[in-house]
Amino acid sequence: MTDMDTIPAPATETPPPANDVVAKQLPRWALIGLFLYASVFTLSYAKDFLVPIVLAYLLAMVFGPIRRFFDRRGVPSALTSLVIVLVLLVGFLSLLGALAVPVSGWMERAPQIQHDIQSKLSSISQTFSGVFDAASRLSELTTSHSAGVQQVEVNDTSYIANAALFAPAAMAQFVFTLILLLFLLASGDMFYEKLVNVLPTFGDKKRAMRIAHDIERKLSRYLLTITLINAGFGVAVAVLLWAVGMPSPIVFGVLAFLLNYVPYLGALAGIVVSMSVALVSFDGLRWSVVVGAIYVGLATVEGQLITPYFVGRSLRLNTVVVFIAVSFWAWLWSAVGMLVAVPLLVAINTFCEHIDGLSGLGKFLSERYSEQEIEEGAGP
């Protein structure tokens, strides 16, 4: 026997069992799940504080290029910021004044309007009448059967009372948003300067500024374009509803302008409101269907032709992701969440375009075939 025979063969490393690999990866996924849960809980718990801050930062990004445009022409940032905030305040108060009286009247007459709609629908469809009969029986079960018992009607939970309770908090958040927006715009590019000073390398500084300015440019372009489109949509709704004899057509135009900021759900809400008012205002269902058809036709033209033409493909997003995002933020922050959902998606999509590790997420958020057009546009 030689010495070579006594030398043991080198041990080969065996791969760890699959169960060990899964066990090592579980803590990481558990931490990610806990982080997501904590983030959603924090966003929901602190929404009264976070909502005006998010709105102010989004508006600052939208109006940042305008403020910078006047800065280059020697206009002080404080003056430009004050004018922008005053214009927003006057516009908001104008919209509120146009809606206050008619909407308050509708809210006060909401039970009567509901009764009128039920009676008109129940006289036409047995299905609806069956539903309403079941509702009336349920109402009878909840009342006393004693003849001598006096019935007391409580009106403290009316729509007007709920709106009156909600109004001070909403107004306080709106004022806080405008004040914070004034400070953000008046500070100029202070936050960008701080960001550049914090980052270590020149390449990181350059990329950060490119991302910030690109987000500003796309958000400003998107929101200003959508605002002009919504204004035209509101005017068209008001004119056509006035032509068919709808009451308060200006109110429906303002509602269409505001609701159209919310993708999909806004148009659906406008259709339901306009058809409901038409059902109460006219005899029969014919004019209600006409009003609904007018709204649907205008919304289709706006959504399928006008918006895709004026909004660049790079700013258009995956429709399924947009619907999920609007639903999620509506659940989290109610009406304000629906308004900020799409601008936040635009900002996230723009950020992903500049980070190599997040390019896949950016392509997923974008509209179909948009990444191909972007690559062709960046080609030689």
Side-chain angles (χ1 to χ4, degrees):
M1 178 180 293
T2 62
D3 294 339
M4 295 296 294
D5 296 334
T6 60
I7 298 176
T12 58
E13 296 183 359
T14 58
N19 293 334
D20 294 342
V21 176
V22 174
K24 291 180 180 179
Q25 291 180 351
L26 278 179
R28 183 181 65 180
W29 288 107
L31 289 175
I32 294 175
L34 289 175
F35 173 77
L36 293 176
Y37 177 79
S39 300
V40 173
F41 176 79
T42 302
L43 290 173
S44 177
Y45 181 78
K47 66 178 180 180
D48 293 336
F49 176 73
L50 293 177
V51 163
I53 293 179
V54 173
L55 279 176
Y57 271 94
L58 285 176
L59 290 174
M61 288 185 178
V62 171
F63 294 103
I66 298 176
R67 189 263 311 159
R68 199 173 293 113
F69 172 81
F70 286 102
D71 285 349
R72 292 193 295 264
R73 282 151 181 81
V75 181
S77 298
L79 179 59
T80 305
S81 305
L82 183 60
V83 171
I84 291 174
V85 171
L86 289 177
V87 169
L88 289 177
L89 179 60
V90 171
F92 174 79
L93 293 179
S94 301
L95 293 177
L96 189 63
L99 293 175
V101 176
V103 172
S104 62
W106 293 347
M107 294 174 66
E108 188 67 29
R109 296 178 53 243
Q112 182 63 36
I113 293 175
Q114 182 180 3
H115 179 269
D116 293 342
I117 294 175
Q118 290 177 356
S119 61
K120 288 187 177 183
L121 291 178
S122 61
S123 63
I124 296 173
S125 174
Q126 292 297 329
T127 303
F128 283 108
S129 64
V131 173
F132 299 142
D133 289 341
S136 63
R137 293 193 191 98
L138 181 62
S139 177
E140 292 175 358
L141 291 176
T142 58
T143 58
S144 176
H145 294 283
S146 301
V149 178
Q150 183 179 4
Q151 301 297 326
V152 179
E153 183 179 358
V154 179
N155 293 324
D156 291 339
T157 58
S158 63
Y159 297 100
I160 296 295
N162 293 332
L165 293 175
F166 176 74
M171 186 58 64
Q173 287 189 339
F174 177 73
V175 172
F176 179 75
T177 301
L178 290 183
I179 294 175
L180 181 57
L181 175 63
L182 178 62
F183 280 103
L184 288 174
L185 291 175
S187 63
D189 294 329
M190 181 185 67
F191 282 94
Y192 292 157
E193 295 171 1
K194 298 292 184 182
L195 180 63
V196 168
N197 291 329
V198 168
L199 295 176
T201 65
F202 177 77
D204 292 337
K205 299 176 189 291
K206 188 175 179 180
R207 173 181 290 185
M209 292 304 300
R210 186 166 60 249
I211 293 174
H213 286 159
D214 200 15
I215 291 177
E216 265 193 1
R217 179 180 59 83
K218 289 189 175 182
L219 269 181
S220 180
R221 175 186 173 188
Y222 175 81
L223 288 179
L224 292 179
T225 304
I226 290 298
T227 299
L228 293 176
I229 293 174
N230 291 351
F233 179 72
V235 170
V237 168
V239 170
L240 290 182
L241 293 188
W242 169 80
V244 298
M246 277 284 290
S248 304
I250 296 179
V251 176
F252 287 101
V254 175
L255 283 176
F257 167 74
L258 295 175
L259 292 174
N260 212 44
Y261 280 102
V262 181
Y264 313 124
L265 300 180
L268 180 61
I271 293 169
V272 172
V273 171
S274 60
M275 291 185 67
S276 300
V277 175
L279 186 62
V280 176
S281 302
F282 301 105
D283 295 332
L285 285 176
R286 181 170 63 90
W287 285 108
S288 178
V289 174
V290 171
V291 169
I294 290 174
Y295 206 112
V296 170
L298 291 176
T300 302
V301 172
E302 178 270 326
Q304 301 298 323
L305 298 177
I306 297 177
T307 298
Y309 179 80
F310 288 100
V311 178
R313 183 174 289 274
S314 61
L315 295 179
R316 298 207 297 272
L317 303 169
N318 188 328
T319 55
V320 177
V321 174
V322 170
F323 183 81
I324 294 175
V326 171
S327 303
F328 171 77
W329 287 104
W331 167 73
L332 197 64
W333 286 355
S334 65
V336 179
M338 292 188 289
L339 293 177
V340 303
V342 177
L344 287 177
L345 278 180
V346 173
I348 294 173
N349 187 30
T350 305
F351 184 82
C352 293
E353 292 176 357
H354 295 273
I355 305 298
D356 295 335
L358 299 176
S359 59
L361 177 60
K363 294 178 180 178
F364 178 78
L365 296 178
S366 300
E367 190 186 38
R368 177 180 291 182
Y369 308 130
S370 61
E371 64 274 4
Q372 297 179 5
E373 293 190 3
I374 294 175
E375 292 176 358
E376 293 176 358

